[in-house]
Amino acid sequence: MAKTVWPPTSERRQLDKYAEWAAWLSGDPAELLDIYSANFSLNQGNYNFIDNDIGYNTLNVQEGLFWGKDIQGERETMLHIPVAGDIAQTSADLLFSETPGFKIPEAHEENADSDAIDEQDRLDTIIEETDVYSRLLEMAETGAALGGAYLKVNWDTDFKPYPILSVAQPDNAIPEFKWGFLQRVTFFKTIARKDSNVRYRLLEIHEKGRILNQLYKGYRNDLGQRISLDSMEQTAGMEDEILTGIDDLTCRYIPNKKPNRLWRGSDLGQSDYSGIEGILDGIDEAWTSWLRDLRLARARIIVPDYMLEKDKNTGDFYFNIDQDVFTAVNMGPASSDEQPAIKDIQFDIRAEKHRMTIENLMRQAYSLAGYSPSTFGLDDSGGAMTAKEVKARESKSFKTRNKKAKYIKSALEEMLYIMLKIDAEKFGTANGQYKPQVVLKDSIQTDPLDKADSLHKLNQAEAVSIDTKVRK
């Protein structure tokens, strides 16, 4: 049987970058060492394979990075500042710090149809019972780090009486696009390992109108042979084919932002970390250097051995610096050329230089990721500020937020529409005829006094009607 390379060779480059970005997102130094030190060993001809579920075997990362240096004996001193995690979390907060609005437009019209009102009630129930808001926060944070994320609809009539929106990770998916629209996607995961080489992988293939579940027994880089789903306890009882009842995919890919500068022409979104990996690495190196200065600068006292005392229990020699009365000893004649018998050593701590270096690197990282440094507490002028002043100071962050919001709004409206269709098809509760609208609310609320002042000026200019004034 011919070998089926897995993951497909065409996807290796993207999956390698996903692994790198995921390590930064994790905030775990061990993850960064696994990613970068493996590449270092490969460059030295001593490749230590990263034994993960996907099976990367090359990582084309920049040589000379702090986390890629061969400093095995100093790894306990390597420190990490989770700037990458801060970027991803802030991106999600800018988008979803306020709960979005979900509504059926027809249900809010004058003399609204009862079916539309019932659909709105059902949508509200699904959103509340399945905790859609928390899943959107997860999607936004993952998408910022990995360039995008997937939303998909799940259902099990024996588990919950409504469809459930879930988040799927992009580093466990192989998408197929046509003119920018998702046509097919294969989600995969390793569900078991029998030894260091054998893998059992479950493929969940989403196509229009159906979902296919396939189980394969293979090897680290070989998909292997398809076997029955009942062969494994984790997949026993799953159906080979699930007909959705709707002529559409039950999932959507939501790009973080476009265009993708790393893979021009790709339909995948761009990560906030793309291009700043070296800066993130430099921040950790500067932070580690600062803490190393503190360790080296600890005050030390050097004394001749005849001034040491012997511990009666352990037999070890020590110098008691807290002793109030010292016994006189014959130190010999003193001269101007002699070194003092007791010598103290303490190095300078380059605190200010390190602080400035780290702060400048952090400014660059935030700015190149698309945000204003002040959003992260830098350039803080202090004092109370109006919403208008905050937006002016953090305009770059809000521009990036608005770009991302357009991709999210469109895909989320489609997913909620699909959810209601599935609900009508599988549960018979909704009618699935109405498409919801999503309103992503601003994370910075306008001060009522500012709004009143604006309205007063419009009224003085006679540029606003009574109806509009009342609505505002």
Side-chain angles (χ1 to χ4, degrees):
M1 176 180 288
K3 177 180 178 180
T4 303
V5 177
W6 192 265
T9 304
S10 59
E11 306 296 325
R12 287 298 175 93
R13 187 184 177 195
Q14 287 90 338
L15 293 174
D16 284 349
K17 291 302 294 185
Y18 286 151
E20 186 180 1
W21 294 330
W24 285 110
L25 176 63
S26 71
D28 185 358
E31 294 287 333
L32 292 166
L33 284 168
D34 284 344
I35 289 294
Y36 290 115
S37 62
N39 180 70
F40 177 87
S41 299
L42 176 62
N43 293 334
Q44 300 299 317
N46 182 25
Y47 180 57
N48 183 17
F49 184 81
I50 301 176
D51 188 18
N52 55 30
D53 290 345
I54 300 179
Y56 316 103
N57 55 12
T58 57
L59 282 172
N60 184 26
V61 298
Q62 180 182 346
E63 293 183 21
L65 290 178
F66 170 66
W67 288 104
K69 293 178 181 178
D70 189 16
I71 49 178
Q72 296 282 345
E74 299 182 25
R75 286 190 171 183
E76 68 276 6
T77 68
M78 299 174 72
L79 301 173
H80 173 60
I81 300 180
V83 171
D86 195 16
I87 290 173
Q89 182 177 334
T90 300
S91 175
D93 290 343
L94 287 171
L95 288 161
F96 294 112
S97 60
E98 297 291 331
T99 306
F102 308 99
K103 71 175 186 178
I104 305 293
E106 291 82 355
H108 298 272
E109 295 176 351
E110 197 172 342
N111 300 321
D113 188 82
S114 60
D115 287 343
I117 296 174
D118 291 342
E119 193 86 331
Q120 178 71 68
D121 292 340
R122 180 60 175 174
L123 177 63
D124 293 340
T125 300
I126 292 174
I127 288 172
E128 182 178 353
E129 294 296 329
T130 61
D131 198 14
V132 167
Y133 175 60
S134 296
R135 297 171 193 268
L136 293 179
L137 282 170
E138 178 189 353
M139 177 274 298
E141 187 165 326
T142 298
L146 302 186
Y150 294 85
L151 288 177
K152 63 176 183 174
V153 180
N154 304 279
W155 65 91
D156 184 344
T157 55
D158 296 328
F159 177 60
K160 294 286 185 181
Y162 25 70
I164 298 173
L165 194 68
S166 65
V167 180
Q169 302 300 314
D171 50 352
N172 288 108
I174 298 177
E176 297 176 26
F177 294 93
K178 183 175 182 180
W179 301 324
F181 295 94
L182 187 65
Q183 298 296 298
R184 188 175 188 265
V185 60
T186 301
F187 298 107
F188 63 92
K189 64 179 178 179
T190 300
I191 60 172
R193 301 184 185 187
K194 291 302 181 182
D195 53 43
S196 60
N197 198 30
V198 177
R199 305 282 191 274
Y200 287 84
R201 295 184 179 91
L202 175 64
L203 271 57
E204 182 182 304
I205 305 170
H206 285 246
E207 299 176 343
K208 286 187 176 181
R210 67 175 185 170
I211 301 172
L212 305 176
N213 292 311
Q214 300 176 356
L215 181 62
Y216 287 85
K217 178 183 178 182
Y219 303 94
R220 191 173 60 191
N221 293 313
D222 181 10
L223 183 60
Q225 182 179 3
R226 183 178 175 183
I227 59 177
S228 171
L229 290 168
D230 294 329
S231 302
M232 300 293 293
E233 181 180 355
Q234 298 93 322
T235 57
M238 293 180 65
E239 300 178 45
D240 292 308
E241 182 181 29
I242 301 172
L243 299 178
T244 64
I246 64 173
D247 187 26
D248 201 346
L249 289 174
T250 53
C251 62
R252 287 293 186 274
Y253 174 72
I254 303 179
N256 179 49
K257 55 187 177 183
K258 287 185 175 182
N260 191 319
R261 297 172 186 169
L262 185 60
W263 306 309
R264 288 179 297 113
S266 169
D267 293 306
L268 298 173
Q270 176 177 301
S271 167
D272 282 355
Y273 306 159
S274 182
I276 66 169
E277 299 91 342
I279 297 177
L280 296 175
D281 185 79
I283 292 171
D284 289 346
E285 183 169 11
W287 181 241
T288 300
S289 176
W290 191 352
L291 269 292
R292 186 179 291 117
D293 259 23
L294 292 175
R295 295 189 185 97
L296 293 175
R298 286 181 297 186
R300 290 171 173 83
I301 298 177
I302 299 176
V303 299
D305 56 1
Y306 62 79
M307 291 187 178
L308 301 177
E309 299 179 28
K310 189 174 184 179
D311 190 292
K312 296 179 181 179
N313 297 321
T314 64
D316 297 331
F317 287 93
Y318 71 95
F319 178 70
N320 186 2
I321 63 173
D322 296 319
Q323 184 173 328
D324 292 327
V325 179
F326 291 89
T327 303
V329 295
N330 184 9
M331 297 177 61
S335 69
S336 59
D337 297 332
E338 290 181 343
Q339 295 294 326
I342 299 177
K343 185 178 182 180
D344 65 293
I345 296 179
Q346 186 167 16
F347 298 101
D348 291 334
I349 302 175
R350 302 165 296 170
E352 185 61 22
K353 292 181 179 179
H354 278 102
R355 185 193 66 78
M356 291 178 62
T357 299
I358 293 172
E359 186 173 310
N360 287 334
L361 287 172
M362 291 176 72
R363 289 177 189 274
Q364 287 296 317
Y366 294 140
S367 181
L368 292 173
Y371 304 94
S372 301
S374 55
T375 303
F376 298 85
L378 301 177
D379 297 326
D380 188 4
S381 58
M385 300 179 68
T386 66
K388 185 177 181 180
E389 290 171 331
V390 170
K391 287 186 175 180
R393 192 181 66 176
E394 303 182 13
S395 61
K396 188 170 186 178
S397 296
F398 284 99
K399 287 178 182 177
T400 298
R401 178 259 180 201
N402 292 338
K403 291 176 185 177
K404 295 184 177 187
K406 293 178 181 178
Y407 296 111
I408 292 175
K409 182 179 184 299
S410 175
L412 185 54
E413 287 178 347
E414 291 182 10
M415 285 307 301
L416 293 176
Y417 188 32
I418 290 170
M419 227 161 105
L420 291 175
K421 285 184 175 181
I422 291 294
D423 189 49
E425 181 69 25
K426 303 299 179 181
F427 299 93
T429 305
N431 54 48
Q433 297 177 3
Y434 302 95
K435 185 174 182 178
Q437 282 186 356
V438 175
V439 178
L440 297 180
K441 299 179 182 179
D442 199 335
S443 59
I444 303 295
Q445 297 299 315
T446 303
D447 191 320
L449 291 177
D450 288 343
K451 187 179 290 186
D453 183 58
S454 298
L455 189 59
H456 176 65
K457 290 178 179 178
L458 288 171
N459 184 54
Q460 285 185 322
E462 298 183 353
V464 62
S465 66
I466 295 176
D467 179 73
T468 301
K469 286 189 290 184
V470 172
R471 291 181 185 277
K472 284 183 176 292

